[in-house]
């Protein structure tokens, strides 16, 4: 006959192997099932033992049954406590990477440009985006009749420099403009040439990155808001050769060590002589491809030797000082460097575009 002590040992070993609710149910049934359970069988066997032994054996069997029930209840509770609660943190899942932002491509390019010119000894300065006509135009040898001053090209701010309400009335005479200068959103960073020279004596070596505004409708190549980097160097005996040296160094560091430059005669009111500068296409090394429209050259900036009239406007001795200046579009450089096809992508804030640039 099986005795209670033996059955208890067997039960405890079985309970030890329980890992789930289902395992526990199997063990419970094995011992406590009314029909065929091992405890029920033990009780049945006891019924056939001599009367003198029965009370003792019966007590032992009952004690065993209670013990098994208590053990099973305790095990059930432990299993419930170990079960993960819905929505709780599953520490075994792989971690989720926090999304890191990316620098805007224009920020990257601007920083690279600043780094190159800083190494060449240029200081980085910034200036106001809301300007007056004097700094944006007059001092740069662009008289009141200059087409860039037209309402069609320039975004004027409502209200005059004297704080009077100002309404758009079309072209104004030089007299009118002088009497009541308008505020405007600067159309180029060249306005900072004037501000800086008014406040500093030569020698001067600055670059001016910043936002500029024009009355343009957005399309593939135009945006009413974009960015430029102005350069200005003024001193004694500064020549066009110095300008070429600075720009060639920039082109080689920004694009390719084999870059070449081409100066095309041009016109800007604030430089004489003036030039537009092309860089050899690095995609085809000048042979002609889609990027350079088969010309082998890519236009990157306008520049020239500072016009004596500009020096006079800021009170410099135009006999003593010479200098050069340039203005380049930061978007233009970024477009060429990264092969961006549409300038509007820089301002759409589409993450699929922005995420393609380094952190
Ligand atoms: N201001 C010109 C523009 O916005 C660019 C420019 C040309 C700047 C010649 C200069 C310069 O300083 O010398 O298109």
């Amino acid at each position: 006959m099986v005795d209670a002590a033996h059955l208890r040992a067997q039960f405890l070993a079985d309970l030890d192997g329980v890992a789930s609710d289902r395992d526990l149910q199997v063990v419970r049934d094995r011992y406590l099932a009314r029909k065929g359970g091992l405890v029920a069988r033990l009780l049945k066997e006891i019924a056939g033992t001599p009367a003198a032994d029965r009370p003792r054996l019966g007590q032992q069997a009952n004690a065993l049954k209670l013990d098994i029930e208590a053990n099973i209840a305790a095990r059930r509770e432990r299993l419930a406590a170990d079960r993960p609660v819905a929505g709780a943190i599953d520490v075994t899942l792989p971690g989720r990477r926090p999304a890191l932002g990316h620098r805007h491509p224009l920020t990257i390019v601007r920083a690279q440009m600043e780094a190159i010119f800083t190494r060449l000894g240029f200081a980085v300065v910034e200036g106001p985006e809301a300007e007056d006509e004097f700094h944006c135009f007059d001092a740069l040898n662009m008289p009141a009749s200059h087409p860039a001053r037209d309402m069609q090209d320039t975004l004027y701010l409502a209200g005059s420099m004297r704080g009077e309400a100002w309404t758009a009335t079309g072209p104004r005479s030089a007299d009118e403009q002088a009497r009541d200068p308008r505020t405007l959103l600067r159309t180029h960073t060249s306005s900072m040439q004037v501000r800086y020279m008014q406040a500093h004596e030569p020698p001067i070596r600055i670059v001016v990155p910043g936002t500029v505004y024009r009355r343009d409708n957005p399309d593939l190549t135009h945006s009413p808001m974009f960015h430029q980097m102005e350069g200005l160097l003024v001193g004694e005996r500064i020549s066009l050769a110095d300008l070429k040296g600075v720009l060639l160094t920039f082109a080689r560091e920004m694009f390719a060590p084999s870059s070449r430059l081409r100066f095309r005669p041009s016109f800007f009111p604030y430089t004489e002589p003036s030039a537009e500068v092309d860089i050899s296409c690095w995609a085809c090394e000048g042979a002609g491809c889609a990027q350079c429209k088969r010309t082998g050259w890519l236009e990157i900036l306008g520049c020239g030797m500072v016009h004596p009239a500009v020096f006079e406007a800021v009170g410099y001795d135009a006999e003593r000082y010479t200098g050069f200046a340039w203005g380049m579009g930061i978007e233009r450089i970024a477009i060429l460097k990264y092969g961006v096809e549409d300038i509007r992508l820089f301002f759409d804030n589409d993450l699929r575009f922005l995420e393609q640039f380094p952190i």
Side-chain angles (χ1 to χ4, degrees):
M1 185 188 135
V2 197
D3 67 81
H6 183 78
L7 212 52
R8 172 180 277 110
Q10 194 183 322
F11 166 74
L12 291 174
D14 281 351
L15 192 66
D16 221 29
V18 162
S20 67
D21 287 342
R22 265 189 56 203
D23 293 352
L24 188 62
Q25 191 62 32
V26 169
V27 171
R28 196 210 79 91
D29 291 347
R30 186 162 181 229
Y31 290 89
L32 298 181
R34 293 235 178 100
K35 277 191 199 158
L38 292 175
V39 173
R41 252 195 252 172
L42 177 63
L43 289 169
K44 216 183 249 169
E45 279 178 35
I46 290 169
T49 53
D53 294 337
R54 256 180 260 156
R56 184 179 48 86
L57 292 173
Q59 261 174 20
Q60 282 178 356
N62 270 326
L64 173 64
K65 190 177 164 204
L66 291 175
D67 193 24
I68 289 175
E69 279 171 350
N71 267 295
I72 286 188
R75 192 77 183 87
R76 181 168 291 133
E77 255 174 51
R78 249 185 43 220
L79 282 170
D82 289 349
R83 199 176 307 129
V85 185
I89 295 164
D90 180 351
V91 292
T92 65
L93 278 178
R96 242 176 256 151
R97 251 173 221 295
L100 283 182
H102 293 247
R103 280 185 304 163
H104 194 279
L106 294 179
T107 307
I108 296 171
V109 168
R110 173 180 159 169
Q112 287 173 344
M113 293 164 75
E114 285 179 5
I116 295 169
F117 287 117
T118 305
R119 275 201 301 279
L120 290 173
F122 287 79
V124 179
V125 299
E126 293 184 62
E129 291 170 28
E131 258 299 357
D132 56 55
E133 291 182 286
F134 176 77
H135 291 92
C136 202
F137 300 131
D138 295 277
L140 289 168
N141 202 25
M142 294 165 84
S145 58
H146 195 278
R149 299 179 70 144
D150 207 291
M151 293 289 305
Q152 305 303 316
D153 296 309
T154 299
L155 288 155
Y156 289 91
L157 298 171
S160 72
M161 295 298 288
R162 296 201 308 247
E164 288 159 17
W166 177 82
T167 38
T169 49
R172 302 192 315 164
S173 70
D175 261 6
E176 274 176 297
Q177 294 192 37
R179 261 186 282 119
D180 185 14
R182 291 173 287 190
T183 32
L184 48 84
L185 291 175
R186 67 179 174 192
T187 56
H188 53 187
T189 42
S190 306
S191 51
M192 259 310 276
Q193 289 189 26
V194 179
R195 282 195 180 275
Y196 198 84
M197 286 192 281
Q198 283 178 321
H200 300 85
E201 286 298 315
I204 282 175
R205 252 188 296 184
I206 56 165
V207 287
V208 188
T211 313
V212 301
Y213 303 85
R214 286 188 198 169
R215 237 182 148 106
D216 273 325
N217 288 321
D219 64 21
L220 275 183
T221 54
H222 293 88
S223 163
M225 186 269 310
F226 61 101
H227 301 84
Q228 288 188 330
M229 185 175 282
E230 194 80 9
L232 175 68
L233 186 148
V234 181
E236 291 179 42
R237 289 181 298 279
I238 303 299
S239 77
L240 197 64
D242 299 315
L243 170 60
K244 283 189 159 183
V246 166
L247 293 180
L248 188 60
T249 303
F250 167 74
R252 292 191 166 161
E253 294 205 18
M254 194 70 199
F255 295 107
S258 58
S259 294
R260 287 166 291 126
L261 292 183
R262 176 171 81 169
F263 283 64
R264 279 181 290 110
S266 186
F267 175 80
F268 300 103
Y270 31 94
T271 44
E272 180 57 35
S274 304
E276 269 169 305
V277 176
D278 302 334
I279 181 173
S280 53
C281 180
W282 58 94
C284 62
E285 305 241 340
C289 67
Q291 159 148 273
C292 58
K293 300 201 185 78
R294 320 250 153 247
T295 62
W297 296 96
L298 302 159
E299 188 186 327
I300 55 165
L301 59 91
C303 64
M305 301 304 292
V306 179
H307 198 292
V310 177
F311 285 147
E312 275 155 25
V314 298
Y316 279 9
D317 180 351
E319 294 293 323
R320 181 172 167 201
Y321 297 115
T322 50
F324 57 77
W326 76 83
M328 52 189 152
I330 299 181
E331 282 80 358
R332 176 95 187 120
I333 303 287
I335 282 170
L336 295 176
K337 199 169 165 82
Y338 294 120
V340 177
E341 270 154 22
D342 187 338
I343 193 172
R344 291 170 295 196
L345 285 168
F346 291 119
F347 310 116
D348 285 347
N349 285 336
D350 186 333
L351 287 181
R352 291 169 302 179
F353 173 70
L354 297 176
E355 281 171 358
Q356 295 179 44
F357 300 92
I359 291 170

